[in-house]
């Protein structure tokens, strides 16, 4: 019996961590059985290349590493996580709540490509991770859509560190790429800008309720 995979996605500063926390608490309060999974898993050896990439070992700007190469760094971490941590639970019909998934490659790596190359990249990405690596396809992807200004304001309040978070033009490109991917793959877009976390959470909960 195949499990159910729900993914929360959005650019940095979209409020993804906040919304993930609210959804986790709601499901816990309702007494539902589920597993929480987040990526990248910075404390695991399978994220070694992700950490080197974010630290700037392969170049100090996101564009210094081509999106196909960078996507493989993140994909192997997901593969290791699925195979060693929660694959059995999922294959037994379990509910898994993901803070980022293959969807993050679509946004953060798709951002490095001109618009006309994004479609072929997204098709390659899905075939690579879901087809060739055998990672599960999400049943539902919730994409948190924000204006770039809201994301930048929030990140400034929080303080960012890595090569992605330092580069505002790159963040704007991620927003473009995220919207493109949402349309391409048919993600559910939730408006996560100038609204309270509780209002945004309500939309997310309603969008996943039928598969809980
Ligand atoms: P992400 O995980 O997408 O980078 P976070 O959830 O960490 O985003 O949120 C970034 C910052 O914005 C945090 O300081 C958080 O408290 C704040 N924040 C989150 N959601 C909202 C919201 N709806 N309105 C205002 N600020 C928010």
């Amino acid at each position: 019996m195949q499990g159910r995979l729900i993914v929360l996605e959005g650019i940095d500063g979209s409020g993804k961590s906040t919304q993930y926390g609210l959804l986790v608490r709601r499901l816990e309060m309702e007494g539902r059985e589920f597993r929480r999974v987040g990526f990248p898993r910075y404390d695991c050896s399978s994220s070694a290349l992700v950490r080197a990439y974010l630290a700037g070992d392969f170049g100090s700007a996101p564009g210094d590493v081509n999106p196909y190469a960078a996507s493989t760094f993140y994909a192997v971490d997901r593969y290791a996580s699925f195979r060693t941590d929660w694959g059995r639970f999922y294959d037994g019909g379990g509910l898994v709540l993901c803070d980022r998934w293959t969807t993050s490659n679509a946004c953060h790596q798709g951002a490095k490509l001109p618009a006309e190359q994004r479609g072929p990249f997204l098709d390659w990405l899905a075939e690579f991770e879901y087809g060739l690596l055998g990672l599960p396809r999400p049943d539902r992807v919730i994409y948190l859509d924000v204006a770039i200004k809201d994301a930048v304001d929030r990140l400034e309040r929080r303080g960012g560190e890595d090569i992605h978070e330092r580069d505002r033009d790159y963040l704007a490109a991620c927003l473009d790429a995220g919207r493109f991917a949402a349309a391409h793959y048919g993600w559910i877009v939730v408006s996560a800008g100038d609204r309270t976390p509780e209002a945004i959470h309500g939309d997310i909960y309603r969008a996943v309720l039928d598969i809980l």
Side-chain angles (χ1 to χ4, degrees):
M1 183 168 77
Q2 188 183 303
R4 291 146 296 150
L5 187 65
I6 295 172
V7 176
L8 252 57
E9 190 54 72
I11 64 169
D12 294 326
S14 63
K16 186 161 33 59
S17 307
T18 303
Q19 291 304 323
Y20 188 79
L22 288 174
L23 188 56
V24 162
R25 270 201 295 287
R26 178 92 172 243
L27 300 192
E28 283 173 351
M29 264 170 40
E30 293 177 351
R32 296 183 193 271
E33 193 194 359
F34 69 102
R35 291 284 303 270
R36 23 186 319 184
V37 182
F39 297 96
R41 303 180 309 159
Y42 292 114
D43 53 344
C44 294
S45 56
S46 57
S47 71
L49 283 158
V50 170
R51 282 179 273 127
Y53 163 68
L54 290 176
D57 290 4
F58 308 132
S60 57
D64 290 342
V65 183
N66 98 55
Y68 290 87
S71 291
T72 66
F73 306 159
Y74 289 92
V76 292
D77 183 39
R78 284 188 276 278
Y79 182 83
S81 166
F82 177 67
R83 294 301 297 264
T84 64
D85 187 20
W86 52 276
R88 203 181 296 262
F89 174 77
Y90 172 83
D91 287 337
L95 172 66
V96 178
L97 194 58
C98 274
D99 181 358
R100 301 180 176 280
W101 186 237
T102 307
T103 53
S104 285
N105 272 350
C107 302
H108 292 267
Q109 301 307 325
K112 297 175 177 177
L113 294 167
E116 71 276 9
Q117 291 179 30
R118 283 182 184 159
F121 170 73
L122 294 179
D123 292 340
W124 169 81
L125 182 65
E127 173 56 16
F128 176 56
E129 296 208 21
Y130 306 138
L132 299 172
L133 296 189
L135 294 171
R137 284 179 194 271
D139 294 282
R140 206 131 312 161
V141 177
I142 308 296
Y143 180 71
L144 301 177
D145 195 40
V146 283
I148 191 70
K149 183 182 173 307
D150 291 325
V152 168
D153 285 352
R154 290 175 189 174
L155 285 175
E156 272 167 4
R157 283 201 298 274
R158 193 180 65 182
E161 295 291 323
D162 67 40
I163 63 165
H164 284 174
E165 292 176 351
R166 276 203 300 269
D167 188 331
R168 298 296 177 232
D169 289 342
Y170 176 69
L171 192 67
C174 288
L175 185 60
D176 265 1
R179 288 172 176 166
F180 184 95
H184 189 87
Y185 291 131
W187 296 344
I188 293 174
V189 178
V190 168
S191 170
D194 193 14
R195 304 171 68 201
T196 66
E198 291 71 25
I200 299 164
H201 167 70
D203 283 358
I204 294 172
Y205 182 74
R206 276 188 292 280
V208 300
L209 187 55
D210 65 305
I211 56 166
L212 294 179

